[in-house]
Amino acid sequence: MKGILSIQSHVVYGHAGNSSAVFPLQRMGYEVWPIHTVQFSNHTQYQQGWTGRAFEAKDITDLVAGMAAIGQLENCEAILSGYQGSAEQCLAIKDTVEKVKAANPAALYVCDPVMGAPDKGCIVAPGIAEHLINTLMPMADIIVPNQFELSQFAQMEINSLEDAVTACKAALEKGPKIVLVKHLHSISSEKFSMMLATQEGCWLAQRPHLEFDKQPVGVGDLISALFTGQLLTTNQPEQAFEHCNDACYAVLRTTSSLGEWELQTIAAQDEIVAPATNFSITAL
């Protein structure tokens, strides 16, 4: 059977990393093969803290070797990578992508280059950002950075829509075929903004901001999964982009309506496949 290899963090309670990405992809009809880079009791924004640990890079390579031994790497349609717990894990991702593409040259590599956020700066362990910028993002078919991560890759500040377009074009010149900016915080204070860039052009997607007492975690992981699944289904980047914006809004709207801050992906599962609200994307 064909599947998607998802190499990300995992939380036991709630939805972040693989806990945010796996079920939506399954609900969209895909087999998902998760490998966890870390396993925590809950995401790290709880004041009470969390328990758990990061896994060694060798754990990733061992598991991938096991998949290769049973002849399944050739059935991998996409590799989706997210949060990495060490620089060595980044190198294990590189090795994994090379092995999968050797077995199946048509497989896509989708890199969600988790480095940080605009209000926190770079929040990952030493060496990770450098490996993402210099190794994983250039070899990816698709990158899904936020504004901060795009600015690091494109090596420029982003303060306007025009800056974002320029940065996306610079990113495309470095190797990726598709850039999906999962959050452009400088574009609008009234709407949540995302951007898609391919060699054919750039598109802007926006949706209403929703009010939360505490901001949900794992939204970027959800966006990456939704786009990956819909792109594999349609092979139409713009259609996949619009769908992922609509479906992500549906999950967040359900989360808000239930008074939660953990993403309510189970409660919103039907709209992961068929969102009730559509926000048309705009060609730039």
Side-chain angles (χ1 to χ4, degrees):
M1 62 184 177
K2 296 184 181 297
I4 298 169
L5 187 60
S6 182
I7 310 176
Q8 307 191 51
S9 60
H10 173 75
V11 293
V12 176
Y13 174 81
H15 297 283
N18 269 334
S19 304
S20 180
V22 171
F23 175 73
L25 283 167
Q26 291 172 328
R27 189 63 179 78
M28 296 169 81
Y30 289 95
E31 291 286 346
V32 187
W33 307 327
I35 295 178
H36 306 326
T37 55
V38 305
Q39 179 159 290
F40 293 158
S41 56
N42 48 274
H43 67 64
T44 60
Q45 298 305 301
Y46 280 86
Q47 293 181 347
Q48 301 93 326
W50 68 93
T51 58
R53 67 182 180 92
F55 296 109
E56 295 182 7
K58 185 176 182 297
D59 292 322
I60 297 173
T61 55
D62 284 350
L63 291 169
V64 173
M67 295 289 291
I70 60 173
Q72 290 305 310
L73 294 189
E74 64 190 43
N75 290 322
C76 181
E77 294 184 88
I79 311 105
L80 173 59
S81 69
Y83 177 85
Q84 304 301 306
S86 68
E88 291 76 18
Q89 285 185 342
C90 292
L91 296 178
I93 298 294
K94 175 180 180 291
D95 182 65
T96 298
V97 173
E98 291 171 346
K99 282 184 168 60
V100 170
K101 283 184 173 282
N104 177 17
L108 295 175
Y109 173 35
V110 183
C111 177
D112 184 347
V114 180
M115 296 181 213
D119 57 334
K120 299 175 184 176
C122 192
I123 57 172
V124 292
I128 293 177
E130 290 78 6
H131 280 308
L132 287 169
I133 292 167
N134 298 320
T135 303
L136 295 184
M137 294 174 79
M139 73 186 296
D141 298 291
I142 302 161
I143 59 172
V144 192
N146 61 24
Q147 181 174 312
F148 171 78
E149 293 152 356
L150 177 62
S151 71
Q152 298 301 296
F153 187 50
Q155 296 182 308
M156 62 173 284
E157 291 188 5
I158 301 171
N159 298 305
S160 66
L161 184 62
E162 292 74 20
D163 288 345
V165 170
T166 300
C168 283
K169 290 180 178 178
L172 289 171
E173 292 176 358
K174 292 175 177 280
K177 302 175 183 67
I178 296 174
V179 177
L180 194 173
V181 191
K182 60 195 174 193
H183 186 197
L184 282 168
H185 63 270
S186 292
I187 302 307
S188 171
S189 59
E190 298 177 357
K191 295 182 178 180
F192 187 95
S193 304
M194 301 196 299
M195 183 175 288
L196 177 73
T198 70
Q199 295 296 343
E200 281 67 49
C202 294
W203 293 264
L204 181 68
Q206 294 185 307
R207 60 179 185 263
H209 276 301
L210 295 168
E211 293 297 323
F212 294 93
D213 292 335
K214 293 182 285 188
Q215 282 302 307
V217 173
V219 178
D221 309 317
L222 175 64
I223 289 169
S224 297
L226 291 168
F227 182 77
T228 299
Q230 194 68 9
L231 183 67
L232 288 173
T233 298
T234 66
N235 198 32
Q236 298 292 327
E238 301 100 294
Q239 184 177 336
F241 181 50
E242 187 166 288
H243 177 93
C244 97
N245 185 50
D246 294 342
C248 186
Y249 176 76
V251 172
L252 287 166
R253 185 187 59 208
T254 300
T255 303
S256 176
S257 68
L258 293 174
E260 299 283 351
W261 73 309
E262 289 284 1
L263 293 175
Q264 299 296 296
T265 52
I266 308 302
Q269 61 179 289
D270 290 342
E271 288 197 76
I272 287 172
V273 178
T277 304
N278 173 251
F279 303 99
S280 298
I281 61 175
T282 303
L284 300 174

